[in-house]
Amino acid sequence: MVPVQTVLIGETQLVLVTEESFDAQYYVAHNKYYEQVLVPKRSEFKGKMIEVEIYEAGKHFLKGRPLDGSVVFTPSVAEPLQKGEVSGLSQEQLSLQQNGCVPSSGVLTASWSPWSRDRDGLKLLSIRLAVVALLVVFMWEKLH
């Protein structure tokens, strides 16, 4: 019986390069079945998808060489984030940040809110509501 890995030799696969191999000689990539495919260690491959031809197979790995003329590309619908750019912000939060309403760090903290510029007004409103609540309780006690 022929091992399954041997059948893969000569096959063309699209792989995602994710990390450096333990021995630092290759980059580790994964195919659509999440099988480990070792590829040449070239800086332009890291984090990208490349098309490779499988030329060697072992029990727990495959080795692939990039096809001539294959395009190295980022597997994303969005461009990669630039250094210091924050992901996960909604369009509203981004526009608030650009208008100076969010801390320049881009981090929204629990203390940040659209009302943060009018904290004194909120404190005054809270005091007034507390006084009204006390008056209601006092009136309720007097009537019963």
Side-chain angles (χ1 to χ4, degrees), residues 37-100:
V37 180
L38 301 175
V39 297
K41 191 174 170 185
R42 292 192 212 153
S43 60
E44 68 268 19
F45 290 167
K46 186 106 183 238
K48 308 287 186 195
M49 294 209 64
I50 58 173
E51 195 170 12
V52 297
E53 178 186 356
I54 304 302
Y55 69 90
E56 187 179 332
K59 185 173 182 179
H60 298 288
F61 73 93
L62 301 167
K63 284 187 182 176
R65 66 173 63 92
L67 293 177
D68 290 334
S70 70
V71 178
V72 176
F73 65 95
T74 302
S76 175
V77 293
E79 289 296 314
L81 294 176
Q82 299 301 314
K83 186 173 185 174
E85 201 174 357
V86 179
S87 69
L89 294 179
S90 68
Q91 288 300 88
E92 179 185 0
Q93 291 166 331
L94 287 172
S95 67
L96 288 172
Q97 181 182 14
Q98 291 167 351
N99 294 329

Side-chain angles (χ1 to χ4, degrees), residues 7 28 30-31 36 38 44 58 62 82 97 105 111 113 142:
V7 175
V28 177
H30 296 278
N31 62 17
Q36 194 175 80
L38 301 175
E44 68 268 19
L62 301 167
Q82 299 301 314
Q97 181 182 14
S105 67
S111 64
S113 73
K142 287 290 183 186

Side-chain angles (χ1 to χ4, degrees), residues 122-136:
L122 286 174
K123 287 179 186 176
L124 187 57
L125 177 62
S126 298
I127 292 169
R128 288 179 181 165
L129 287 173
V131 169
V132 168
L134 286 173
L135 287 173
V136 167

Side-chain angles (χ1 to χ4, degrees), residues 15-30:
V15 297
L16 174 62
V17 180
T18 57
E19 63 208 83
E20 188 176 65
S21 66
F22 183 72
D23 64 4
Q25 292 183 12
Y26 298 94
Y27 274 146
V28 177
H30 296 278

